[in-house]
Amino acid sequence: MDEDFEMPPVGGMNGDDEMDFGDDASFLKVGEEKEIQQGLKKKLLKEGQGFETPENGDEVEVHYTGTLLDGTKFDSSLDRGTPFKFTLGQGQVIKGWDIGIKTMKKGENAVFTIPSELAYGESGSPPTIPANATLQFDVELLSWSSVKDICKDGGVFKKIVAAGEKWEMPKDLDEVLVKYVAKLEDGTVVGKSDGVEFTVKDGYFCPALAKAVKTMKKAEKVLLTVKPQYGFGEKGKPASGGEAAVPPNATLEIELELVSWKTVSEVTDDNKVIKKILKEGEGYERPNEGAVVKVKLIGKLGDGTVFLKKGHGDGEEPFEFKTDEEQVIDGLDKALLKMKKGEVALVTIDPEYAFGSTESKQELAVVPPNSTLYYEVDLVSFDKERESWDMNTEEKIEAAGKKKEEGNAKFKAGKYALASKRYEKAVKYIEYDSSFSEEEKKQAKALKVACNLNDAACKLKLKEYRQAEKLCTKVLELESTNVKALYRRAQAYMELADLDLAEFDVKKALEVDPDNREVKVEQRRLKEKMKEFNKKEAKFYGNMFAKLSDGSTSTKRPTLIDVTNEE
């Protein structure tokens, strides 16, 4: 009967028009029978294990006994003593099997009653199965091997030979260590390695390896069936290094094991600080801005010259510093905020986040201008700066006041970006004041006003005018006649060329404080800007009307950008 099951179904549906039969058939009670689809019924005899069921493309292994409705047995794998194997959903068995076995769990035993339309139809399978026969199969699902079409185009099929560990899978930037053996369909070895490391996005050997490792877990072993488009295509590959050639348009069979990988991540959005994990850290917590960290450091140039070494000498304590305080270069500061306790990482830092275009004398060597730096960082321990949710109301106000003073000190030193961050953190401590007493609410309001005003001053220095405008608006929502907020918002509007809005804020500020010298200076500056703008506007329209009155030019109304003049 084996050959009968390997025949494609007669007159049944193909894989494209298979219907969704839902999950009910996967959760029957023992002894319960339900219709799955088109008259196909399933009766559960023994529950299976877990929740997973096989999918199309998986290689399943079953024992079965097939009978007619009158009880006549026509085939049984049990009688042969050998389980039956086939690929699910590929038309290798009758349609009723392809549909029904997809509802089974490992170890499950069920009886399927299969109408003739999902079996052998009008033809039957002489001499044992008559025409239009309804069949019953007692099936036990012994196991299955997952086979996935990982590229969704039939180019690479992956069969899991040994399950991997945990749930993580490599990404494009990660560096993977693999073992593989690549063969032609006749068994000829065309590639082999007992351990090779490569970056996923760069790939290795053939495109299929990079595609496959992104779907694998640590220690997972798979068998890949690789079509030419993910192998070596129409050109093939010449023989080299004792390995046979790959002919044009050859299909490959590749045994692949993902031994391990090093996680590589972008610390900054511009891809100029990269962190590669050499040793995984503990837990989930990471330092925050203001945390006190203890680290072991080795800093190197591109040629391997060590320019810094801390915490590695005999009896030498780890290097201790506070994050976000400019005690180390910016790139190292940012990378540490992405690390866990006990993690060891290699951090690659672009000059922009290091010493830039200036030379820097370090303890062991001089760092030349425009140097990319490489730090091996071991985060021994850290103490996080307390967050607002760990504080009572009194502590929140105290912390906000402290951050404000830190911001003031940074501002006076000309470190406007750092000052801005201090003011922002101060406001976050007291942002939600519903649990504050009336006196505490007054204190919090005064701190919010001062910090947002100071932050707006930082944003103006940093030329972040839209942010400055938003911060001043927040202050005016609390104090509608705050002169400083009106003055600084007017400055922001002027830089954004919103001169009418700037004029409105200047006038309102002078209504509140007619003798304010700074606002008067801003008013004069605004008048000059408006004059300049009006002159430019007059010149523009003068030129435009001159062209209109010139008989040598087109009478077509010009636009601000006359696309007809483009070459």
Side-chain angles (χ1 to χ4, degrees):
M1 185 64 189
D2 282 4
E3 64 274 13
D4 290 332
F5 281 94
E6 290 165 6
M7 289 170 58
V10 179
M13 297 180 297
N14 60 34
D16 293 332
D17 48 23
E18 182 174 326
M19 296 166 62
D20 180 7
F21 47 81
D23 293 330
D24 287 350
S26 299
F27 295 95
L28 293 174
K29 296 177 182 178
V30 173
E32 186 179 4
E33 184 177 52
K34 278 190 178 179
E35 181 177 338
I36 298 174
Q37 177 182 314
Q38 285 193 315
L40 172 63
K41 295 179 181 178
K42 174 184 175 182
K43 181 177 181 180
L44 184 64
L45 301 183
K46 186 183 81 171
E47 288 185 350
Q49 304 164 15
F51 296 96
E52 291 188 345
T53 57
E55 299 176 5
N56 285 341
D58 291 351
E59 294 181 358
V60 298
E61 184 176 40
V62 300
H63 263 311
Y64 70 91
T65 298
T67 61
L68 303 178
L69 285 181
D70 63 7
T72 303
K73 180 167 68 174
F74 55 82
D75 191 25
S76 175
S77 63
L78 293 168
D79 292 345
R80 293 189 296 275
T82 305
F84 177 55
K85 297 180 182 180
F86 69 99
T87 302
L88 194 59
Q90 303 300 308
Q92 296 178 3
V93 293
I94 57 174
K95 193 67 181 179
W97 269 47
D98 269 342
I99 296 170
I101 289 174
K102 283 171 65 176
T103 72
M104 299 182 74
K105 305 179 184 75
K106 184 179 179 181
E108 182 179 316
N109 186 197
V111 171
F112 293 98
T113 301
I114 304 177
S116 65
E117 303 85 61
L118 299 179
Y120 295 98
E122 296 178 357
S123 303
S125 183
T128 53
I129 300 175
N132 300 312
T134 295
L135 309 179
Q136 284 192 325
F137 286 93
D138 184 326
V139 181
E140 181 182 6
L141 178 58
L142 303 175
S143 64
W144 73 85
S145 298
S146 178
V147 180
K148 304 292 183 189
D149 179 2
I150 61 174
C151 297
K152 308 299 182 188
D153 60 3
V156 182
F157 286 93
K158 184 187 85 168
K159 175 182 177 181
I160 297 176
V161 177
E165 303 169 4
K166 299 184 180 179
W167 55 270
E168 299 100 328
M169 299 176 191
K171 297 181 176 61
D172 281 337
L173 293 177
D174 295 345
E175 293 181 5
V176 295
L177 176 64
V178 304
K179 297 178 181 179
Y180 73 92
V181 178
K183 300 176 182 179
L184 301 178
E185 289 179 293
D186 64 5
T188 303
V189 175
V190 293
K192 181 178 181 180
S193 176
D194 290 328
V196 63
E197 194 169 43
F198 64 92
T199 301
V200 175
K201 69 174 182 178
D202 295 336
Y204 189 79
F205 185 67
C206 70
L209 260 61
K211 297 284 185 184
V213 293
K214 289 172 70 173
T215 72
M216 295 173 67
K217 301 169 187 173
K218 183 180 177 182
E220 185 174 317
K221 295 179 182 179
V222 301
L223 179 63
L224 304 177
T225 301
V226 181
K227 298 300 181 183
Q229 65 265 36
Y230 292 101
F232 294 95
E234 296 178 356
K235 294 183 179 179
K237 173 180 172 287
S240 62
E243 294 172 348
V246 178
N249 298 312
T251 294
L252 303 177
E253 300 286 341
I254 302 178
E255 298 168 17
L256 178 64
E257 177 184 355
L258 177 56
V259 180
S260 62
W261 76 86
K262 298 183 181 80
T263 301
V264 180
S265 57
E266 298 175 358
V267 174
T268 56
D269 293 337
D270 55 12
N271 201 25
K272 291 184 177 179
V273 182
I274 303 293
K275 179 172 75 80
K276 176 167 73 175
I277 296 176
L278 304 178
K279 178 191 163 192
E280 291 285 345
E282 306 168 12
Y284 297 95
E285 288 216 325
R286 295 176 172 86
N288 58 357
E289 292 177 348
V292 176
V293 298
K294 292 183 179 180
V295 299
K296 294 180 181 180
L297 285 178
I298 299 175
K300 296 181 182 180
L301 302 176
D303 63 4
T305 300
V306 176
F307 63 82
L308 180 73
K309 199 169 187 179
K310 289 186 177 292
H312 285 277
D314 290 339
E316 185 181 349
E317 290 293 315
F319 175 47
E320 181 177 305
F321 66 94
K322 194 173 184 179
T323 62
D324 201 36
E325 286 288 346
E326 295 187 314
Q327 295 178 11
V328 295
I329 59 171
D330 192 28
L332 189 55
D333 227 348
K334 292 181 184 302
L336 276 159
L337 300 181
K338 306 277 189 177
M339 294 180 68
K340 301 173 187 174
K341 180 182 176 182
E343 181 179 323
V344 180
L346 178 64
V347 182
T348 303
I349 303 175
D350 185 87
E352 183 181 329
Y353 291 90
F355 299 108
S357 58
T358 60
E359 182 179 276
S360 177
K361 186 173 170 53
Q362 296 294 297
E363 64 178 36
L364 299 177
V366 173
V367 175
N370 300 310
S371 293
T372 296
L373 305 182
Y374 304 85
Y375 284 88
E376 186 177 303
V377 187
D378 180 351
L379 179 53
V380 178
S381 65
F382 62 88
D383 291 312
K384 294 178 76 170
E385 183 171 74
R386 287 181 72 190
E387 301 283 4
S388 61
W389 55 79
D390 289 329
M391 302 177 183
N392 59 36
T393 55
E394 185 180 343
E395 289 170 330
K396 287 178 183 178
I397 291 171
E398 184 181 343
K402 186 178 176 183
K403 284 295 171 189
K404 175 185 166 244
E405 294 308 315
E406 288 177 9
N408 292 348
K410 299 291 183 189
F411 188 92
K412 287 174 185 175
K415 297 176 179 178
Y416 305 119
L418 287 175
S420 175
K421 288 169 80 171
R422 299 302 184 275
Y423 295 133
E424 286 171 6
K425 194 151 191 177
V427 171
K428 280 183 181 177
Y429 282 127
I430 52 176
E431 194 169 8
Y432 304 106
D433 58 4
S434 57
S435 60
F436 287 21
S437 68
E438 289 305 312
E439 180 58 33
E440 286 171 337
K441 284 181 179 178
K442 287 180 184 177
Q443 291 176 304
K445 179 183 175 182
L447 281 166
K448 286 178 190 175
V449 167
C451 288
N452 281 328
L453 278 173
N454 292 351
D455 197 4
C458 292
K459 298 301 186 187
L460 289 171
K461 293 284 188 182
L462 295 167
K463 299 185 178 180
E464 297 176 10
Y465 303 117
R466 188 60 69 190
Q467 294 303 314
E469 177 260 318
K470 288 178 180 177
L471 288 162
C472 292
T473 300
K474 283 185 179 180
V475 173
L476 291 166
E477 287 169 357
L478 295 171
E479 295 180 353
S480 62
T481 58
N482 188 294
V483 173
K484 278 188 178 179
L486 290 165
Y487 165 68
R488 287 179 185 162
R489 190 167 74 172
Q491 288 181 304
Y493 280 142
M494 283 175 64
E495 297 298 337
L496 293 166
D498 290 335
L499 301 185
D500 290 341
L501 292 174
E503 185 180 28
F504 177 85
D505 279 354
V506 167
K507 285 181 177 178
K508 188 170 181 181
L510 288 173
E511 285 173 12
V512 177
D513 187 359
D515 298 322
N516 190 297
R517 182 173 166 276
E518 288 180 322
V519 179
K520 285 183 175 180
V521 170
E522 201 64 22
Q523 186 182 41
R524 286 196 293 273
R525 195 165 77 91
L526 175 60
K527 285 180 179 178
E528 289 299 318
K529 271 198 175 264
M530 293 181 87
K531 273 185 192 176
E532 187 181 334
F533 176 79
N534 288 335
K535 280 182 185 177
K536 285 181 179 177
E537 196 174 48
K539 185 178 179 182
F540 170 77
Y541 283 111
N543 290 338
M544 184 175 74
F545 290 128
K547 284 184 179 180
L548 282 170
S549 61
D550 185 351
S552 64
T553 60
S554 169
T555 57
K556 183 184 73 170
R557 184 179 179 87
T559 59
L560 292 180
I561 299 174
D562 191 353
V563 295
T564 60
N565 292 331
E566 288 183 357
E567 294 182 1

